[in-house]
Amino acid sequence: MSAFDPSCEHAAIREGVAEVCAKFPGVYWRDLDARRAYPGDFVKALSDAGYLAAMIPEEYGGSGLNLSAAAAILEEIHKQGCNAAACHAQMYTMGTVLRHGSPEQKRQYLPRIADGSLRLQAFGVTEPASGTDTLSLRTTAVRDGDAYVVTGQKIWISRAEHSDLMVLLARTTPREKVEKRTDGLSVFLIDLRALVGNGVTIKPIRTMMNHATTEIFFDGARIPASSLIGEEGKGFRYILSGMNAERILIAAECIGDAKWFLEKGSSYAREREVFGRPIGANQGVQFPLARAYAHMLAAEAIVYRAAAMYDAGLDPGIEANSAKMLAADASWEVAEACLQTHGGFGFAEEYDIERKFRETRLYQVAPISTNLILCFLAERALGLPKSYG
Ligand SMILES: Cc1cc2nc3c(=O)[nH]c(=O)nc-3n(C[C@H](O)[C@H](O)[C@H](O)COP(=O)(O)OP(=O)(O)OC[C@H]3O[C@@H](n4cnc5c(N)ncnc54)[C@H](O)[C@@H]3O)c2cc1C
């Protein structure tokens, strides 16, 4: 480690996270993967150690740390071969709650999220018809007395079956009645447990990796008007800053994955002997790992730059999107090099490579696909005509 290494920051936090992760080796994750089961013990251990409350202010029982610290926590989880997908949403939705939630909402929920007795792990944005085009979402929340009535469908909403609360984005004013496309959407902090069976149905979707993702049907579900976050109709703005946090945190997870694959790939290349010498003595084996290492280093620098900008209250849209794309590309590149280095053994479940390979592939698509990041950068950073929306 040198002073220029972003992983020098938060060294004590990283060590603590690594200690928790050491209790959850590959065999734990392999078993869950085969059963597509939720890592409840792992999430509890992280909660008990206080890491999931990192971003909750101290007055509500958390540690009051910033996004850079949260990124270090999630990176370390992945570097240790674990997977933070079971619990990262609590961190990236926190900014929306902290910046725009009412004092009453914070008093009601944050202390219990901090002590682990409530989980805020679901973020409901994507819909089957709108996909990436969030502004076209069709789920409506219509005010009726002291409630909103929610009707519509969400898809790919991860952890909904394992979360008490969900941050929901829905349309409160019809699109044809708003001046700007970004108006008329509102954000709610809803209690999912109370709604299941009362207008809400959650159906799991089995995917290529263990991700606890679902589709959610809202059939006239009544949610208290007090669950609205901030002002009605301004929700898209609130969600955007949460999306930057999400991109930065997921990018940090990708850096952790990349480091895990690099360690596995290079140690196997040092040990495995074929033709009477270690396979890692061949440049054909070294170069893909070395190239991917350089790409990981570059991506890591932009991830922590974006996090520092977020913490400074700046708009890190360009950096957060670049970080997400570069880090996801780096983790995928190293995953490929690591699998190839392992030859046939890379396909054996007991090496964990094939599982991590499936897991890290997701980040080319979610929470935003590479193409859409390129569209955004072309428009915002280079001033080219907007090609989407
Ligand atoms: C396992 C998993 C977990 C998820 N968890 C959540 C969650 O918890 N909450 C949530 O809200 N969402 C979640 N998502 C949804 C995720 O954010 C979306 O899948 C993602 O944003 C892409 O949207 P889409 O699948 O509808 O793809 P589409 O929007 O249908 O796009 C399909 C393909 O077309 C490309 N494309 C589309 N438009 C353009 C264009 N104009 N130019 C170039 N290319 C274009 C895209 O890049 C993509 O490759 C999850 C998804 C998965 C798979």
Side-chain angles (χ1 to χ4, degrees), residues 123-126 131-132 156-159 209 211 213 362 365-369 371-372 375 387-388:
F123 188 38
V125 175
T126 309
T132 308
W156 305 121
I157 309 308
S158 304
R159 303 159 297 273
M209 67 292 170
H211 202 88
T213 200
L362 173 65
V365 170
I368 182 167
S369 67
N371 273 5
L372 266 292
C375 292
S387 66
Y388 60 104

Side-chain angles (χ1 to χ4, degrees), residues 91-163:
M91 290 178 178
Y92 59 67
T93 52
M94 198 45 70
T96 306
V97 178
L98 290 179
R99 289 180 185 179
H100 309 289
S102 67
E104 182 44 38
Q105 284 167 329
K106 292 180 197 172
R107 269 196 303 275
Q108 186 182 355
Y109 294 120
L110 293 183
R112 295 191 55 209
I113 298 173
D115 72 19
S117 56
L118 269 188
R119 285 187 191 149
L120 167 53
Q121 292 299 357
F123 188 38
V125 175
T126 309
E127 298 190 359
S130 55
T132 308
D133 185 8
T134 305
L135 294 176
S136 300
L137 64 79
R138 294 181 188 168
T139 296
T140 55
V142 179
R143 184 76 192 243
D144 180 24
D146 60 358
Y148 282 89
V149 178
V150 184
T151 307
Q153 185 189 344
K154 297 282 173 184
I155 193 165
W156 305 121
I157 309 308
S158 304
R159 303 159 297 273
E161 292 176 297
H162 306 281
S163 183

Side-chain angles (χ1 to χ4, degrees), residues 270-325:
R270 281 191 299 270
E271 284 156 21
R272 169 75 171 162
E273 291 198 7
V274 181
F275 297 110
R277 60 183 191 152
I279 55 168
N282 301 298
Q283 290 183 336
V285 174
Q286 292 178 356
F287 282 8
L289 291 167
R291 182 181 294 277
Y293 174 76
H295 289 158
M296 181 282 293
L297 274 186
E300 183 184 38
I302 190 80
V303 171
Y304 285 94
R305 172 167 145 185
M309 288 177 72
Y310 183 96
D311 290 333
L314 302 171
D315 175 4
I318 288 173
E319 289 75 10
N321 278 283
S322 302
K324 155 68 181 53
M325 184 181 81

Side-chain angles (χ1 to χ4, degrees), residues 305-345:
R305 172 167 145 185
M309 288 177 72
Y310 183 96
D311 290 333
L314 302 171
D315 175 4
I318 288 173
E319 289 75 10
N321 278 283
S322 302
K324 155 68 181 53
M325 184 181 81
L326 295 174
D329 283 354
S331 73
W332 183 232
E333 183 183 357
V334 194
E336 168 64 18
C338 182
L339 185 76
Q340 193 69 13
T341 300
H342 276 75
F345 292 101

Side-chain angles (χ1 to χ4, degrees), residues 62-325:
S63 341
L65 296 171
N66 58 18
L67 193 79
S68 303
I73 291 170
L74 298 182
E75 183 200 318
E76 191 64 35
I77 290 172
H78 281 251
K79 186 177 161 212
Q80 297 301 326
C82 299
N83 194 325
C87 48
H88 54 196
Q90 185 158 309
M91 290 178 178
Y92 59 67
T93 52
M94 198 45 70
T96 306
V97 178
L98 290 179
R99 289 180 185 179
H100 309 289
S102 67
E104 182 44 38
Q105 284 167 329
K106 292 180 197 172
R107 269 196 303 275
Q108 186 182 355
Y109 294 120
L110 293 183
R112 295 191 55 209
I113 298 173
D115 72 19
S117 56
L118 269 188
R119 285 187 191 149
L120 167 53
Q121 292 299 357
F123 188 38
V125 175
T126 309
E127 298 190 359
S130 55
T132 308
D133 185 8
T134 305
L135 294 176
S136 300
L137 64 79
R138 294 181 188 168
T139 296
T140 55
V142 179
R143 184 76 192 243
D144 180 24
D146 60 358
Y148 282 89
V149 178
V150 184
T151 307
Q153 185 189 344
K154 297 282 173 184
I155 193 165
W156 305 121
I157 309 308
S158 304
R159 303 159 297 273
E161 292 176 297
H162 306 281
S163 183
D164 301 286
L165 306 173
M166 174 165 85
V167 170
L168 170 73
L169 187 66
R171 183 160 284 290
T172 38
T173 309
R175 202 165 144 184
E176 56 281 6
K177 289 199 179 148
V178 289
E179 254 175 51
K180 285 194 274 171
R181 286 185 81 217
T182 47
D183 288 342
L185 294 171
S186 300
V187 178
F188 301 89
L189 180 57
I190 64 173
D191 187 338
L192 265 180
R193 298 281 70 83
L195 291 168
V196 172
N198 287 314
V200 167
T201 310
I202 304 176
K203 288 194 181 158
I205 305 175
R206 194 175 163 98
T207 53
M208 69 186 250
M209 67 292 170
N210 184 18
H211 202 88
T213 200
T214 71
E215 52 187 336
I216 306 186
F217 300 86
F218 294 89
D219 184 12
R222 288 182 77 82
I223 59 172
S226 59
S227 49
L228 177 71
I229 294 186
E231 260 182 78
E232 190 183 291
K234 299 266 165 68
F236 188 67
R237 253 160 276 177
Y238 305 158
I239 286 283
L240 270 188
S241 108
M243 284 176 168
N244 283 332
E246 183 182 32
R247 297 184 190 355
I248 294 167
L249 292 175
I250 297 233
E253 292 179 7
C254 291
I255 296 298
D257 277 347
K259 289 181 179 176
W260 184 88
F261 280 118
L262 281 165
E263 209 285 310
K264 290 284 173 198
S266 49
S267 52
Y268 189 79
R270 281 191 299 270
E271 284 156 21
R272 169 75 171 162
E273 291 198 7
V274 181
F275 297 110
R277 60 183 191 152
I279 55 168
N282 301 298
Q283 290 183 336
V285 174
Q286 292 178 356
F287 282 8
L289 291 167
R291 182 181 294 277
Y293 174 76
H295 289 158
M296 181 282 293
L297 274 186
E300 183 184 38
I302 190 80
V303 171
Y304 285 94
R305 172 167 145 185
M309 288 177 72
Y310 183 96
D311 290 333
L314 302 171
D315 175 4
I318 288 173
E319 289 75 10
N321 278 283
S322 302
K324 155 68 181 53
M325 184 181 81

